[in-house]
Amino acid sequence: MKLTGKKIFGIFIIMFFCFGCEEGEDSAKTLEEIDTTAPIISVSEIGETIEVLTSIDISVSDNTEKVNTAISINGNSVFTTSQNQFSYDIDPFEFPNGATNLVITAIDEEGNQTSKSFQFSLSKLLYKHDYGISNELFDYYLAINKMESGELITSRKIINNVDLVFYADDDFEKENLVITEYWLGKNSSSHAGNSQAGLKPGTVRLTSDERNNIVGLAHDGVFIKDEEFTLIIEEQPDYHYATVAAFDYSSNILNENTYKILYNSEISTDVFLYYQGNSHINLLEDYRYFYNNDFSNQTINFNNLNSLIEEMIVSFSLPDETVNYSFSLFGYSNLKSYQENYLRLLYGDAGNTSTLGFIINYPYLNEYEILKKTVKFELDDGRIVILERKNNLNVEIPNWVIHQTDNVVSVNELYDHLTFWLKLENVNDGNSDFFTRSYITSNNYEAIIPFEDIEMPIDVVEFLDNKGFNVSSDQKSGVLSLELTNYENNLNYKDNIKYFPLGNEYGDITTMTFPLNN
């Protein structure tokens, strides 16, 4: 059948109205549903200056399910995500120092876009120390070295607190650091260089107050002794003076039997002093002690001091390899006093096993809830062992073994604390000067003896060479040793403050020092 022009035009009109009305209805519906609202970006506070690794929290809200968010710094894209809540870490070592522009842009499924811009100043904090200033007795230097190569990055003599802060330039490639403190005695024969390895760039050492807050201590071991009283002991034997030692009080001997006790009025609760007639005594006959919580002036008779009975004496045996030893007994009123280290020295002994034997006796005193024992003994192969025990004193030698090949030392176990020691002695005109170096590193099965690799500041080298140590030459005349330490409590404090025990938070401590080939 042949369609005429009029028929074709009529069919077109009918189709237009039928399909056109349906399409118009769909178009109107789509226009009503189109989202024109841009995403909302919320960002945690960003300071005017960023010097260390800084995390910013970002949240994005929108009517659509999916939003793409991008972060750019100084025009360069650094991060993208489709998450609605996330964090981004700004590492100063990844960007140039100076004025910095950060832009956060969020785009939803409909193409709606929001941007937020932040400006701040960026600096690369290399390291910030917490204390130490040169004085009339010592010149104090801080030096920063690369851990892998030992190359000196920077150093300075510390004159004021501003000098304790170090920054890196844009050429610095991020790697772990070795921080060394040099104490150089102006009128002293003692000098030291103490290094700690493995610190990350941007480390900020905590102040003593901050460290105390972390471990829950109320003090930093320094007490003002603001009160005093006088203690007179009549008929005191003339062979020995009383021993008075504590963290929160001390004594001055005014004459042969009169003691002025200086104490802290806020925390001191009792006073303890003891007599011992010989360095290795018969405790039943020669040991006497005085315990009192009365801080008024008083007079007592020596014969009225407390003595021991057999049941109050505890004994332990030193290892057969022991050459000499020292022993100290400390008392604490309660657990809080132990944690705060409000110690009282209750007894001390030292001697050589060839003349005094291998048995050590000590008094067990009921006046104190906690007794801490510290024994240090030297073995016949040169090793030195130190044990600190709150409860039973176990003097077994730890099964720790080291092996040295050239400048590499391997150990058979991991340890909480590994320190190399190097002691240099210089004798001039009959006077001895000592330069002691220490190097703390992370616990590992293998460690490299570091002292030849750690580049020293030229000012420090010149000072020591003028003292006759010749540290700028290849001369090797020092005594080298390796110290391994384990702690009862594994405390991973911020910025490695675990290397500086506070109070007795570490619990029992075991340390062994090995002499190395010299």
Side-chain angles (χ1 to χ4, degrees), residues 47-79:
E48 294 182 358
T49 302
I50 292 180
E51 298 183 342
V52 297
L53 186 68
T54 301
S55 180
I56 58 173
D57 298 323
I58 303 169
S59 63
V60 179
S61 58
D62 191 66
N63 294 332
T64 62
E65 294 184 359
K66 185 177 180 181
V67 179
N68 291 319
T69 304
I71 298 176
S72 66
I73 293 182
N74 296 334
N76 298 313
S77 177
V78 295
F79 182 80

Side-chain angles (χ1 to χ4, degrees), residues 375 377 384-389 398 400 417 421 482-487 509-514:
V375 58
F377 52 95
I384 297 175
V385 181
I386 300 177
L387 306 175
E388 293 186 10
R389 297 290 184 267
W400 297 350
H417 191 164
W421 291 93
L482 173 67
E483 178 184 279
L484 303 174
T485 301
N486 267 350
Y487 300 114
I509 299 176
T510 302
T511 297
M512 182 182 288
T513 301
F514 297 82

Side-chain angles (χ1 to χ4, degrees), residues 269-280:
T269 58
D270 60 79
V271 172
F272 186 93
L273 62 83
Y274 70 91
Y275 283 85
Q276 59 184 69
N278 303 288
S279 60
H280 193 72

Side-chain angles (χ1 to χ4, degrees), residues 227-261:
E227 294 289 344
E228 64 181 58
F229 74 95
T230 301
L231 176 66
I232 300 175
I233 303 179
E234 297 179 331
E235 299 184 26
Q236 171 181 288
D238 58 4
Y239 55 75
H240 206 284
Y241 289 107
T243 298
V244 183
F247 256 24
D248 53 308
Y249 63 80
S250 59
S251 71
N252 293 330
I253 301 175
L254 301 183
N255 54 51
E256 61 182 11
N257 68 340
T258 303
Y259 303 85
K260 181 170 69 174
I261 310 297

Side-chain angles (χ1 to χ4, degrees), residues 243-246 249 270-276 281 283 287-291 308 327-333 342-349 362-373:
T243 298
V244 183
Y249 63 80
D270 60 79
V271 172
F272 186 93
L273 62 83
Y274 70 91
Y275 283 85
Q276 59 184 69
I281 65 176
L283 288 172
Y287 182 83
R288 297 289 186 273
Y289 71 94
F290 172 76
Y291 172 86
L308 303 176
F327 173 82
S328 298
L329 177 69
F330 302 98
Y332 302 90
S333 300
Y342 292 157
L343 64 82
R344 280 89 173 93
L345 178 63
L346 309 183
Y347 174 66
D349 187 19
Y362 66 90
Y364 189 91
L365 304 178
N366 294 324
E367 283 83 355
Y368 293 96
E369 179 180 324
I370 295 176
L371 300 179
K372 184 177 78 172
K373 287 77 65 177

